Amino acid sequence: MNAAFDRPVTLAAASGIDRAAHHRLDEAWLAAAWSHPSTRVFVVSGGQALIDDTPDGRTELVMTPAFEAPLTETHRYFLGTDEDGVSYFALQKDTLPGRMDQSARPAGLREAGLLLSPRDAGLMVHAVALENWQRLHRFCSRCGERTVIAAAGHIRRCQACGAEHYPRTDPAVIMLVTDDRDRALLGRQVHWPEGRFSTLAGFVEPGESIEQSVAREVFEEAGVVVGEVEYLASQPWPFPSSLMLGFTARATSSEITVDGEEIEEARWFSREDLAAAFASGEVLPPYGISIAARLIEHWYGEPLPKPGRAV
């Protein structure tokens, strides 16, 4: 692996948080943790949380002691503990609370993920993923009755039929394809702005291995056949519930035929081609929060320019 891929993938860096899943069903422990003065709490709403810039130039999640947190009857999610024994909870609310000093601002993961520390980013991605799942899975898929929250936000139980439901994660593959000339295959989705190119990606289908999914998606979207597939890294992507599995893949054919439904345009780029396209503004790089940027950097050999900024 080259130096361009040495730093952790955004939203996937080690956070220093132990999720402590063995405490999720221990109501006495959870109650004690909630009432402890060191416990920290933040609110998540619609995929957003409050963030604030500190005087020393950092950006942090706005967290409060539990006794200052807004009231909620059930939507309280235990996220884990750190090495100092501090417990962290997220509260799901319909709106974010206001701030007396007006310095904090609401932010989603696409903004906050690039600004927050690994600890805060890890806490926020966990909370946003739980909130998305909780909002979309309030009823039992077996009998249709309303479910209730259990395991500190990590299970929903149906009291009518006894079924238990767990947070959903949809595996998706994302891949940087290269050919025998070491050119990279990049595509532009139909709803993206002109010039925005990135790696190909798609969801894993039932009964399919991730390697088979890489080959199928590349062929479906660009008409290119791939052979060797190598896993590189993963990234949680709760928009609303995906896990991105990053790969490199070697093409055994080079003719491109886009599907026209998901991919409007796809092209082979040499490093020189891509550098020139970045410099002229013909090609816009993917946003830095996505693992796509890191996959391209792994091949490109250096960090990509910031979106909207020429090299």
Side-chain angles (χ1 to χ4, degrees), residues 227-308:
E228 181 182 357
V229 173
E230 180 179 359
Y231 170 79
L232 281 183
S234 64
Q235 180 185 45
W237 195 249
F239 303 106
S241 57
S242 298
L243 174 65
M244 305 302 295
L245 306 168
F247 295 85
T248 59
R250 179 67 71 173
T252 59
S253 69
S254 59
E255 184 176 350
I256 294 173
T257 304
V258 296
D259 63 5
E261 296 181 2
E262 292 184 61
I263 302 298
E264 183 170 324
E265 181 182 4
R267 293 162 54 185
W268 292 106
F269 291 89
S270 69
R271 292 173 183 80
E272 294 75 17
D273 292 338
L274 193 57
F278 285 152
S280 68
E282 177 189 359
V283 169
L284 307 175
Y287 291 102
I289 190 174
S290 170
I291 191 175
R294 303 302 306 286
L295 292 172
I296 298 172
E297 286 178 355
H298 176 70
W299 163 82
Y300 191 58
E302 60 183 83
L304 302 183
K306 301 295 184 182

Side-chain angles (χ1 to χ4, degrees), residues 20-261:
H22 57 289
H23 289 312
R24 292 173 186 167
L25 295 172
D26 188 339
E27 294 297 335
W29 187 94
L30 290 169
W34 178 258
S35 62
H36 196 279
S38 69
T39 291
R40 290 296 177 263
V41 182
F42 65 96
V43 175
V44 61
S45 179
Q48 293 189 318
L50 289 178
I51 63 174
D52 205 354
D53 299 322
T54 65
D56 60 1
R58 294 177 295 113
T59 301
E60 296 180 336
L61 274 176
V62 174
M63 291 191 272
T64 67
F67 64 84
E68 294 182 3
L71 296 177
T72 180
E73 293 182 0
T74 57
H75 293 277
R76 185 172 77 188
Y77 310 142
F78 172 59
L79 305 179
T81 61
D82 64 18
E83 60 183 8
D84 296 320
V86 176
S87 297
Y88 296 89
F89 288 82
L91 301 180
Q92 177 181 321
K93 303 290 287 183
D94 290 335
T95 58
L96 293 174
R99 290 276 288 177
M100 294 293 291
D101 56 15
Q102 299 296 313
S103 66
R105 65 185 186 277
L109 277 170
R110 284 184 171 87
E111 176 189 358
L114 291 172
L115 302 174
L116 297 174
S117 68
R119 185 203 68 177
D120 284 8
L123 290 169
M124 186 174 174
V125 75
H126 189 176
V128 167
L130 285 177
E131 184 209 17
N132 285 333
W133 173 67
Q134 293 282 359
R135 289 188 185 277
L136 295 175
H137 294 83
R138 293 176 294 172
F139 297 91
C140 179
S141 59
R142 180 184 293 176
C143 72
E145 292 295 321
R146 183 177 289 275
T147 56
V148 296
I149 296 173
H154 295 76
I155 294 176
R156 292 194 72 100
R157 290 197 177 113
C158 179
Q159 296 178 313
C161 72
E164 288 190 346
H165 304 280
Y166 296 85
R168 173 174 172 170
T169 297
D170 300 318
V173 292
I174 183 166
M175 43 276 173
L176 192 284
V177 180
T178 56
D179 66 1
D180 57 3
R181 296 165 56 187
D182 202 25
R183 298 179 300 173
L185 177 64
L186 303 179
R188 185 170 67 82
Q189 293 189 17
V190 294
H191 60 275
W192 285 356
E194 191 72 27
R196 176 77 66 203
F197 279 81
S198 188
T199 52
L200 304 183
F203 287 103
V204 180
E205 293 188 347
E208 183 178 54
S209 73
I210 52 179
E211 293 84 2
Q212 290 170 335
S213 181
V214 169
R216 176 184 53 77
E217 285 288 346
V218 173
F219 185 76
E220 287 180 357
E221 294 185 349
V224 171
V225 178
V226 301
E228 181 182 357
V229 173
E230 180 179 359
Y231 170 79
L232 281 183
S234 64
Q235 180 185 45
W237 195 249
F239 303 106
S241 57
S242 298
L243 174 65
M244 305 302 295
L245 306 168
F247 295 85
T248 59
R250 179 67 71 173
T252 59
S253 69
S254 59
E255 184 176 350
I256 294 173
T257 304
V258 296
D259 63 5
E261 296 181 2

